[in-house]
C-alpha cells in the first residue's frame, strides 16, 4: 500500500497545532498591553514588570522550590532504600504486603491521598499536638510520601538489571555489605537515583491537589497561587508567568539533550576503542 | 596460621539444600596446595553451588569445609583469603582498570607506594599496563577477563575460584587464554579451583578433575585416569565418546576376563577389573580410537564383523559408524596416516569391515 505523504503531514500538523497553539497564543498574549486576556491591545512588557515586582509570586516560587528540593531529596533516600530492599531481599516476611503498600500511592487517586493526609495531620495534631499548624512541613511530608513511589520504581527496575555478581565481587574482595553499598551499588545505580530525584522534584513542584489539602494559612506554593489567581479570571500576568515557566522548562530540556548527545558520542568513541583493543 | 598438616582444602560431607531441592549431596574432596582442580559437569550439577560455598556466598546445609586447616563455617566472604573470578567477570563499571585491580587492596595495610607497586605488578602479569586508565567498557572481552584475574590475584589469595573462566571468550582466544591461565598459576603458585562444563577445558587446564552429576561427585582423578579408566557409565559417556554394549562375564582367568557380548556375536577378552565374578552382567565400553577397522581380517585377539553405515572425513582422521550383525552401532576412529584419493581409504559406505580391539583397551563397567 502506498502511503500518502500529504495525509500524514496534515495529521502531523494538526497534532502539533493541537498541542502547541494554546501555548504559543499564551506566550503571545503575555506581551499584550490590554487588560483583557482575549483582546489585543498592542505590544508591551508591562505584565512582566508587574510580575517581577509582585512579592507574592516570588515568595510562592521560593516556597515551591524549597519544598521540592527537600521532598525530592528525602523521597530519593527513602525510595532508594525501598527499591534496593525489594530487589535484593527476595524472601522476607511480609514482602508482598510491603511491595503492595509501597506502590499503592501510584494508583491511588490524588484526591484520596490528599484527603487522607489532611485527616492524618488533623488527628495527629489532636493527639500529640503536632503539627499545630499546617503549612511548609505538612506539604513537604505529603510530597515525600507520594513522590517516593516513583523513586522506588525507578531504583527497583535499575537494581533488577544490575549484575548481582558485581556486588558479590566487592564482598569477595574484602568489603563488608555497607562498603559494598557505598563503593559499588550506589555509584552503579546513580543515574537511576538522579532521574528518580528529578522525577520527584518535578512532581512536587507542580502538584496542586495534594498540596491544596495539606497546606495551611500563609503557605502558598506557585501552582496554588496560579490556581487561585485563575479562579478570578485569566489575567495577562499569569500569561507572563506561564511563559517564563515554559521557557525555563525548554531551557532545561535543551541542556539535557545536549548532555545526552555528548554521552552518546562518547559511548560510540568508547566502542571504537574497545574494538581497536580487540584487534 | 596453619592447622595440622594435611590436604590444603578439605571438603567433608558437604550438602546444600535450597528448599526441597538438593543442589549438592554429601561431597567429599581434598585438594592440594598449588593444584589446578576442575569441577566438571553439566548445568545444574551443583558445581557452581560448591564453588559459592567455598567463596562463602552460601553456607553448607551439612558438612564442613576446611581451607588451610581452618574450618570456614560462619566466615563471611569478606574475611576469607579466597577470591573468585566471576563468569561475567563482574568488573566495577565505574572504575578504571587500575582502580578495579586496586579495589581489594584498600582493605590491606599497605603504604601508598606498596599498593602502587602491587597494582603495577598485576598489570604487568596480565599485560595490561597500557590500558590501566581505561574503563571496563573500553577494552575487549579477553582483556576484561585478564582484569578480573588480576583483581582476584592482587590480594594474593590462598585459593582462587574461577567460574567458567573461558566461557565468554571466542574459540581462538580461549585456547590462548587457557595456556596463559596455566602459566600465571605456575608463576603465582596459587591453588586454582575451576568450574567448567567444557571437558576439553578441564582436561587441558586441570591437574585433577572431579566429575559431578546431580549434586554428587562421580569420579575424581587426572584427565588420563578419568578418560581411560572411568568408573561408571555416566563418566564414560560424559567424557569423550564411547560405544557401550551389555555383556556377561563367562570366565575369569588371571587378570583376563572372557566376556560374552551378544551385540558382537561372540566372546571377547578384556582386562579384568576388581569385583568381577563369573556370570556377572557388565557394560563394555569402547572408545572409537581404540577400535581398529580394516577390510582384511586382522590377526588380533578380539575380532568382529560389521558394515560401514556412515563415515565422516575430517582430514587428519575419519570417524566410522559401523553396524554390527545384531543392528547395534559402534564408532571407530581411523587416522589417515597415508595420503591417497577417496578410493584408497580404509573403508567406504556399505563396505563389509573387520573390527578389533585389544583386551586392555576395553572398559568394563559394573554399575
Amino acid at each position: 500500500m502506498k502511503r500518502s505523504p500529504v495525509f500524514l503531514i496534515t495529521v502531523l500538523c494538526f497534532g502539533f497545532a493541537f498541542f502547541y497553539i494554546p501555548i504559543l497564543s499564551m506566550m503571545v498574549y503575555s506581551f499584550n498591553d490590554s487588560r483583557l486576556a482575549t483582546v489585543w491591545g498592542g505590544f508591551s512588557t508591562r505584565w512582566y514588570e508587574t510580575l517581577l515586582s509582585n512579592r507574592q509570586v516570588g515568595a510562592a516560587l521560593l516556597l515551591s522550590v524549597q519544598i521540592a528540593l527537600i521532598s525530592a531529596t528525602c523521597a530519593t533516600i527513602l525510595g532508594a532504600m525501598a527499591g534496593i530492599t525489594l530487589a535484593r531481599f527476595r524472601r522476607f516476611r511480609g514482602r508482598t504486603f510491603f511491595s503492595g503498600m509501597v506502590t499503592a500511592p501510584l494508583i491511588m487517586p490524588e484526591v484520596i491521598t490528599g484527603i487522607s493526609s489532611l485527616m492524618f495531620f488533623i488527628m495527629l495534631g489532636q493527639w500529640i499536638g503536632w503539627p499545630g499548624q499546617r503549612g511548609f512541613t505538612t506539604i513537604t511530608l505529603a510530597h515525600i510520601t507520594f513522590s517516593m513511589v516513583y523513586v522506588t520504581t525507578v531504583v527497583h527496575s535499575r537494581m533488577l538489571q544490575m549484575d548481582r555478581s558485581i556486588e558479590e565481587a566487592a564482598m569477595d574482595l574484602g568489603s563488608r555489605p555497607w562498603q559494598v553499598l557505598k563503593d559499588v551499588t550506589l555509584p552503579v545505580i546513580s543515574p537511576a537515583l538522579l532521574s528518580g530525584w528529578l522525577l520527584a522534584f518535578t512532581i512536587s513542584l507542580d502538584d496542586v491537589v495534594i498540596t491544596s489539602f495539606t497546606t495551611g494559612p500563609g503557605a502558598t506554593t506557585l501552582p496554588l497561587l496560579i490556581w487561585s489567581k485563575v479562579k478570578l479570571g485569566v489575567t495577562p500576568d499569569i500569561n507572563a508567568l506561564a511563559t517564563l515557566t515554559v521557557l525555563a522548562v525548554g531551557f532545561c530540556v535543551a541542556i539535557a539533550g545536549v548532555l545526552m548527545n555528548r554521552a552518546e558520542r562518547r559511548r560510540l568513541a568508547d566502542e571504537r576503542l574497545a574494538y581497536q583493543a580487540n584487534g | 596460621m596453619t592447622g595440622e598438616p594435611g590436604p590444603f582444602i578439605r571438603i567433608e560431607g558437604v550438602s546444600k539444600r535450597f528448599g526441597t531441592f538438593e543442589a549438592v549431596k554429601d561431597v567429599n574432596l581434598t585438594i592440594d596446595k598449588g593444584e589446578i582442580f576442575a569441577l566438571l559437569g553439566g548445568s545444574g550439577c551443583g558445581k557452581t553451588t560448591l564453588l559459592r560455598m567455598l567463596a562463602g556466598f552460601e553456607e553448607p546445609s551439612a558438612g564442613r569445609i576446611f581451607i588451610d586447616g581452618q574450618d570456614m563455617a560462619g566466615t563471611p566472604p569478606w574475611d576469607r583469603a579466597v577470591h573468585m573470578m566471576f563468569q561475567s567477570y563482574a568488573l566495577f563499571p565505574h572504575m578504571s582498570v587500575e582502580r578495579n585491580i586496586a579495589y581489594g587492596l584498600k582493605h590491606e595495610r599497605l603504604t601508598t607506594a606498596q599498593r602502587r607497586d602491587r597494582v603495577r605488578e598485576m598489570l604487568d602479569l596480565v599485560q595490561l599496563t597500557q590500558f590501566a586508565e581505561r574503563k571496563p567498557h573500553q577494552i575487549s572481552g579477553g582483556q576484561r577477563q585478564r582484569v578480573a584475574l588480576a583483581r582476584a590475584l592482587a590480594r594474593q589469595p590462598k585459593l582462587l575460584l574461577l567460574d567458567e573462566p573461558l566461557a565468554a571468550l571466542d574459540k581462538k582466544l580461549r585456547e590462548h587464554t587457557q595456556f596463559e591461565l596455566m602459566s600465571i598459576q605456575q608463576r603465582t603458585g596459587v591453588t586454582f579451583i575451576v568450574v567448567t562444563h567444557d571437558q576439553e577445558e578441564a582436561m587441558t587446564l586441570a591437574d585433577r578433575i572431579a566429575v559431578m552429576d546431580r549434586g554428587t561427585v562421580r569420579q575424581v582423578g587426572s584427565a588420563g585416569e578419568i578418560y581411560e579408566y572411568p568408573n561408571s557409565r555416566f563418566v564414560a559417556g560424559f567424557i569423550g565418546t564411547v560405544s557401550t554394549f551389555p555383556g556377561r562375564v563367562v570366565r575369569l582367568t588371571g587378570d583376563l576376563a572372557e566376556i560374552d557380548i551378544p551385540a558382537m556375536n561372540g566372546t571377547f577378552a578384556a582386562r579384568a577389573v576388581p569385583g568381577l565374578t563369573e556370570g556377572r552382567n557388565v557394560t563394555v565400553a569402547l572408545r572409537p580410537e581404540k577400535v581398529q577397522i580394516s577390510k582384511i581380517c586382522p590377526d588380533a585377539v578380539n575380532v568382529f564383523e560389521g558394515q560401514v553405515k556412515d563415515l565422516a572425513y575430517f582430514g587428519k582422521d575419519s570417524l566410522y559408524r559401523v553396524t554390527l550383525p545384531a543392528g547395534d552401532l559402534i564408532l571407530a576412529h581411523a587416522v589417515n596416516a597415508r595420503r591417497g584419493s577417496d578410493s584408497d581409504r580404509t573403508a567406504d559406505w556399505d563396505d563389509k569391515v573387520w573390527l578389533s580391539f585389544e583386551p586392555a583397551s576395553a572398559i568394563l563397567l559394573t554399575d
Side-chain angles (χ1 to χ4, degrees):
Chain A
M1 196 186 86
K2 191 177 176 291
R3 288 199 194 108
S4 156
V6 178
F7 174 71
L8 284 182
I9 289 169
T10 315
V11 169
L12 188 72
C13 288
F14 268 106
F16 276 137
F18 186 75
F19 286 134
Y20 290 109
I21 282 183
I23 296 177
L24 272 177
S25 73
M26 179 199 75
M27 290 169 93
V28 170
Y29 273 99
S30 71
F31 295 101
N32 187 1
D33 195 40
S34 161
R35 195 157 236 309
L36 297 163
T38 46
V39 182
W40 183 255
F43 181 83
S44 157
T45 54
R46 71 179 176 113
W47 299 114
Y48 286 89
E49 286 153 29
T50 321
L51 190 70
L52 291 179
S53 59
N54 188 338
R55 299 273 283 285
Q56 219 187 346
V57 172
L61 179 66
L62 187 67
L63 182 71
S64 276
V65 171
Q66 279 174 335
I67 290 175
L69 281 175
I70 296 175
S71 71
T73 307
C74 293
T76 304
I77 295 169
L78 292 172
M81 279 158 64
I84 292 172
T85 307
L86 283 175
R88 279 299 168 257
F89 302 94
R90 311 318 304 271
R91 265 176 297 184
F92 59 87
R93 191 178 279 276
R95 186 184 184 279
T96 321
F97 181 71
F98 178 67
S99 116
M101 291 307 280
V102 159
T103 46
L106 208 57
I107 45 166
M108 199 75 82
E110 271 191 85
V111 181
I112 307 287
T113 315
I115 292 176
S116 50
S117 303
L118 175 64
M119 306 261 275
F120 175 70
F121 288 132
I122 291 172
M123 271 157 59
L124 211 61
Q126 284 168 351
W127 285 343
I128 60 170
W130 182 91
Q133 201 176 45
R134 287 181 300 283
F136 183 86
T137 316
T138 48
I139 298 174
T140 309
L141 285 176
H143 281 196
I144 291 171
T145 44
F146 82 94
S147 59
M148 183 194 131
V149 190
Y150 295 90
V151 183
T152 306
T153 315
V154 172
V155 170
H156 185 196
S157 67
R158 178 68 191 91
M159 288 294 288
L160 290 181
Q161 282 169 24
M162 181 181 166
D163 181 7
R164 180 80 223 258
S165 55
I166 294 177
E167 292 172 317
E168 286 182 340
M171 224 184 273
D172 186 66
L173 290 165
S175 291
R176 280 148 205 283
W178 186 248
Q179 282 169 313
V180 175
L181 184 74
K182 182 169 69 72
D183 293 348
V184 177
T185 317
L186 290 180
V188 169
I189 64 165
S190 59
L193 294 178
L194 182 65
S195 56
W197 188 90
L198 285 172
L199 208 56
F201 185 80
T202 29
I203 290 170
S204 163
L205 204 59
D206 73 8
D207 179 74
V208 176
V209 180
I210 291 173
T211 313
S212 64
F213 277 107
T214 50
T215 188
T220 311
T221 64
L222 195 59
L224 282 187
L225 181 73
I226 295 176
W227 180 243
S228 63
K229 273 174 164 291
V230 166
K231 273 193 286 195
L232 306 171
V234 181
T235 53
D237 61 335
I238 293 293
N239 279 346
L241 180 59
T243 304
L244 288 181
T245 313
V246 168
L247 289 179
V249 169
F251 183 69
C252 291
V253 170
I255 286 194
V258 168
L259 289 179
M260 262 153 70
N261 194 7
R262 194 177 296 170
E264 173 68 13
R265 248 179 299 155
R266 203 173 48 211
R267 195 182 61 78
L268 285 175
D270 287 350
E271 259 171 25
R272 236 186 342 262
L273 217 58
Y275 183 73
Q276 281 164 359
N278 224 349
Chain B
M1 194 184 70
T2 316
E4 72 271 30
F8 185 58
I9 292 154
R10 213 162 73 230
I11 298 171
E12 278 182 0
V14 164
S15 300
K16 178 70 190 178
R17 275 182 300 277
F18 296 105
T20 54
F21 174 67
E22 209 169 12
V24 172
K25 295 173 204 161
D26 191 31
V27 165
N28 292 284
L29 285 173
T30 57
I31 296 158
D32 291 329
K33 203 179 177 81
E35 199 176 11
I36 302 188
F37 192 88
L39 297 169
L40 175 64
S43 58
C45 73
K47 56 191 193 302
T48 302
T49 308
L50 191 58
L51 199 72
R52 290 175 61 82
M53 286 194 277
L54 284 161
F57 296 128
E58 312 280 356
E59 277 290 316
S61 310
R64 293 195 297 174
I65 294 173
F66 295 89
I67 296 175
D68 204 5
Q70 269 180 292
D71 190 343
M72 300 312 280
T75 309
W78 51 88
D79 283 336
R80 296 190 182 202
V82 173
H83 295 324
M84 181 148 162
M85 201 180 105
F86 291 81
Q87 184 172 4
S88 63
Y89 309 146
L91 299 180
F92 306 131
H94 56 296
M95 297 185 193
S96 66
V97 166
E98 196 171 12
R99 284 190 53 216
N100 261 284
I101 295 174
Y103 184 78
L105 297 176
K106 69 175 196 170
H107 303 290
E108 286 188 14
R109 288 215 183 89
L110 292 175
T111 64
T112 317
Q114 279 173 320
R115 191 169 305 154
R116 202 179 47 226
D117 286 349
R118 186 87 68 81
V119 172
R120 204 171 289 160
E121 189 187 317
M122 284 300 134
L123 281 168
D124 194 45
L125 182 73
V126 295
Q127 297 158 31
L128 284 174
T129 312
Q130 59 180 123
F131 299 105
E133 300 301 321
R134 293 225 186 148
K135 293 278 181 67
H137 64 276
Q138 294 171 322
I139 55 177
S140 70
Q143 290 166 339
R144 271 177 227 163
Q145 193 254 15
R146 270 143 56 198
V147 176
L149 182 66
R151 186 179 67 177
L153 285 171
R155 288 188 76 190
Q156 301 173 325
K158 290 178 180 173
L159 169 64
L160 186 71
L161 308 170
L162 301 100
D163 189 4
E164 302 275 4
L166 307 175
L169 303 177
D170 58 51
K171 196 173 170 5
K172 212 178 105 195
L173 202 57
R174 204 179 296 173
E175 266 169 38
H176 174 77
T177 312
Q178 203 160 305
F179 290 110
E180 207 173 61
L181 268 182
M182 289 164 80
S183 102
I184 286 174
Q185 193 271 341
Q186 266 164 14
R187 267 183 285 165
T188 54
V190 175
T191 311
F192 276 25
I193 298 183
V194 182
V195 151
T196 177
H197 68 276
D198 182 335
Q199 46 164 300
E200 246 174 71
E201 193 176 304
M203 288 170 91
T204 44
L205 265 179
D207 300 315
R208 285 192 307 144
I209 300 169
V211 182
M212 291 188 69
D213 173 39
R214 281 172 289 173
T216 58
V217 171
R218 299 297 294 261
Q219 190 172 0
V220 183
S222 69
E225 281 164 6
I226 284 178
Y227 185 78
E228 302 291 2
Y229 301 96
N231 64 1
S232 58
R233 277 185 292 177
F234 173 79
V235 175
F238 188 74
I239 310 284
T241 326
V242 318
S243 313
T244 54
F245 306 96
R248 198 170 55 82
V249 182
V250 180
R251 195 183 313 150
L252 280 168
T253 43
D255 65 345
L256 277 187
E258 226 172 278
I259 316 279
D260 174 39
I261 306 174
M264 300 177 185
N265 232 344
T267 55
F268 296 86
R271 177 76 50 82
V273 290
L276 280 191
T277 49
E278 286 181 10
R280 175 162 187 171
N281 287 326
V282 292
T283 301
V284 182
L286 288 166
R287 300 266 183 216
E289 74 279 7
K290 308 280 195 298
V291 177
Q292 279 80 48
I293 179 167
S294 98
K295 276 204 275 204
I296 38 172
C297 182
D299 179 24
V301 192
N302 299 317
V303 183
F304 53 104
E305 269 182 286
Q307 188 179 17
V308 176
K309 183 174 184 255
D310 228 336
L311 73 86
Y313 175 75
F314 300 118
K316 66 181 194 300
D317 48 23
S318 301
L319 189 67
Y320 292 86
R321 276 150 64 85
V322 181
T323 317
L324 298 178
D328 302 75
L329 278 175
I330 187 169
L331 291 170
H333 194 258
V335 176
N336 299 322
R338 196 180 293 146
R339 190 159 82 133
S341 63
D342 284 357
S343 56
D344 293 337
R345 64 176 157 230
T346 319
D348 227 320
W349 272 274
D350 296 332
D351 276 356
K352 283 250 182 276
V353 287
W354 297 94
L355 299 156
S356 61
F357 62 91
E358 281 176 38
S361 295
I363 304 162
L364 296 184
L365 300 167
T366 52
D367 71 325

